[in-house]
Structure formats: C-alpha cells, structure tokens
Amino acid sequence: MLRRVQHVYVDWQQFILRWFFVGTAIVLIFVLGFLMFSPVVRVRAIHVKRSDTRLDIEQVQHALAPLFGKHTLFLSQLEVLSLLRGVIPDLRKVRLEKQYPADIVVSVELDPIVARTEIVEPAAGEDTAPVPEGTGALLPYLTDKGMLIETDAPQGADLPVIYLVDWGARPQSGSAVLPPEFFMGLRDA
C-alpha cells in the first residue's frame, strides 16, 4: 500500500511538473508574441540631446520622423545614423538610448569648430563687410575635418581666422574646404 501511494505521488508530481512547463512555455510564447506585434513597443517619442547649440533640434526630429511607429527593440543606432548623416554634414557621433516601451533618446555630437572663416574678394584683397556676431546672420566656420558650416550661434572670439578667396565658386555650407590634415599640422606646429 505504501508503495502504491508513493507511485501515485510520483505520478502526480510528474503530471504537475509537466503541465507547469507547458503552461510556462505558453505564457512565454504569449509574452513574446505580445512584444513582437503590440503597438505598445513602437516608437512614440523621440528626445534629442545636443552637445552644441548650433544643432537644430527641430531639424533632427524632422529627419528622424520615419522612426515613429518602428519597433523599439529592433531599432539600431546605424539606422538613426544613416537618417541624420544626410541632414547634418558635420555629424561626429550619435548615441541611441532606448527607454522602453516606446521612447528613444538620441544624443548628437557635432564636429568641433576650430576656425572662423572670412570670404575675401580676389580684386579687393580685403574681406567683405564683416557681420558682427550675435546679429542672427549665418557666420562661416570650419570644423576640425575642414568642413565649412554656417551657424548663427556665436562660437567664440578666440578662434583663429582663415581667409578664403572667392574666385566665383563660393563654398557652400557642408562642403569640405580644407583637408583634415591641415588642422592636424596647425595643431602640431
């Protein structure tokens, strides 16, 4: 009789254990399915952190608009970088933080500005009328990669000035004007 009770106890124990594992597997499948197909884990808010005042947050959010509705779990930093690369020419680094279930935080770092530029007319030998900082006009600067950028945010008066001669092909904002090695040579000298 004792052996029979033990045998029934072992059978019930195996039965309960088996159904526990089956129930756990069903719950896991349900949770994974919910996470995969639920709108709860889709991007609903994008927060932008900037390291420089010359970054236009509205422009960044407009560039990242295609990310709304995408699955937060499968969103990659490379995807964010590719969207921002076309809009921000002096982009140095992008970091993506996911705040589950539906928010992302994008930290954007720009190339540092190393020089102020002034466009000089070739015949006059002097620069065009200088625009004082803080007037809201776009002022040209050079980044450490030699890229010309124009910004209305004052960047400091202690920057060296590089004069560019306008031979009829005025450099556009976002274009490479000088090679990065030029600034490395200046820094080493």
Side-chain angles (χ1 to χ4, degrees), residues 41 147 152:
V41 288
M147 188 174 298
D152 59 351

Side-chain angles (χ1 to χ4, degrees), residues 4 11 17 31 34 44 46 64 105 118 124 137 141 149 167 180:
R4 187 169 178 202
D11 286 345
L17 194 59
V31 167
F34 177 76
R44 286 184 282 166
I46 299 174
L64 296 177
V105 177
E118 291 187 17
Y141 293 94
I149 58 150
W167 293 101

Side-chain angles (χ1 to χ4, degrees), residues 3 141 159:
R3 212 169 253 236
Y141 293 94
L159 292 173

Side-chain angles (χ1 to χ4, degrees), residues 26-39 41 71:
I26 289 172
V27 168
L28 283 175
I29 290 171
F30 178 74
V31 167
L32 286 175
F34 177 76
L35 289 176
M36 294 292 293
F37 301 110
S38 172
V41 288
H71 203 287

Side-chain angles (χ1 to χ4, degrees), residues 52 54 90 92 110-117 140-149 155-162 178-184 186-187:
D52 198 330
R54 62 189 157 111
D90 55 335
R92 176 170 289 246
L110 301 176
D111 291 332
I113 289 178
V114 294
R116 192 168 50 94
T117 60
Y141 293 94
L142 287 174
T143 67
D144 67 341
K145 291 184 181 172
M147 188 174 298
L148 180 80
I149 58 150
Q155 299 298 322
D158 59 339
L159 292 173
V161 179
I162 295 180
L178 295 170
E181 294 81 22
F182 177 80
F183 294 106
M184 285 190 274
L186 280 179
R187 189 174 42 233

